[in-house]
Amino acid sequence: ASRVRLRAAWPMSTPHIVADGGWVVLLLSGGEQKLQRVRSGARLRIGKHNALYDPIIGAPFGASFVLETADREARLVRDPRTLEQIDSSLTDAAAALGGASADANNAELRDE
């Protein structure tokens, strides 16, 4: 099962929870940001997958979700971790795979 992380932010119409018909900012794990209107029964497209917005409706703003995929089905599941915990786990996973350290930068790269 592949996983894609996103984060729902403030809906403009409701101060503390994501409302049906409200607007949210989705922060996808690849760094992409999307402004989306959340409607019950509507589907969110992430990569090759489509999942219902329904789990986002009624969630507190700032909630994190995981896109879980199995076979041909995709669904959003609430992730209880904070955004900092999620970012830390992704950084640790990249380092374990031989990626760059968390404080690495591309200041010394040269295009030849």
Side-chain angles (χ1 to χ4, degrees), residues 26-67:
L26 303 176
L27 306 175
L28 305 176
S29 62
E32 184 181 0
Q33 297 181 16
K34 290 184 176 186
L35 177 63
Q36 299 280 306
R37 181 167 234 161
V38 177
R39 296 188 189 265
S40 180
R43 293 195 167 267
L44 164 67
R45 181 166 179 83
I46 300 175
K48 296 187 259 180
H49 304 288
N50 290 303
L52 287 172
Y53 278 109
D54 294 9
I56 296 175
I57 297 170
F61 62 82
S64 295
F65 294 84
V66 176
L67 179 70

Side-chain angles (χ1 to χ4, degrees), residues 87-110:
D87 286 343
S88 176
S89 70
L90 293 174
T91 301
D92 293 345
L97 294 172
S101 67
D103 59 345
N105 64 51
N106 62 358
E108 299 297 320
L109 289 179
R110 298 182 202 284

Side-chain angles (χ1 to χ4, degrees), residues 68-87:
E68 291 188 345
T69 59
D71 298 322
R72 300 170 100 172
E73 190 133 343
R75 64 188 183 111
L76 291 171
V77 177
R78 183 84 183 271
D79 190 335
R81 296 176 297 169
T82 65
L83 189 57
E84 292 77 15
Q85 291 169 324
I86 293 168
D87 286 343

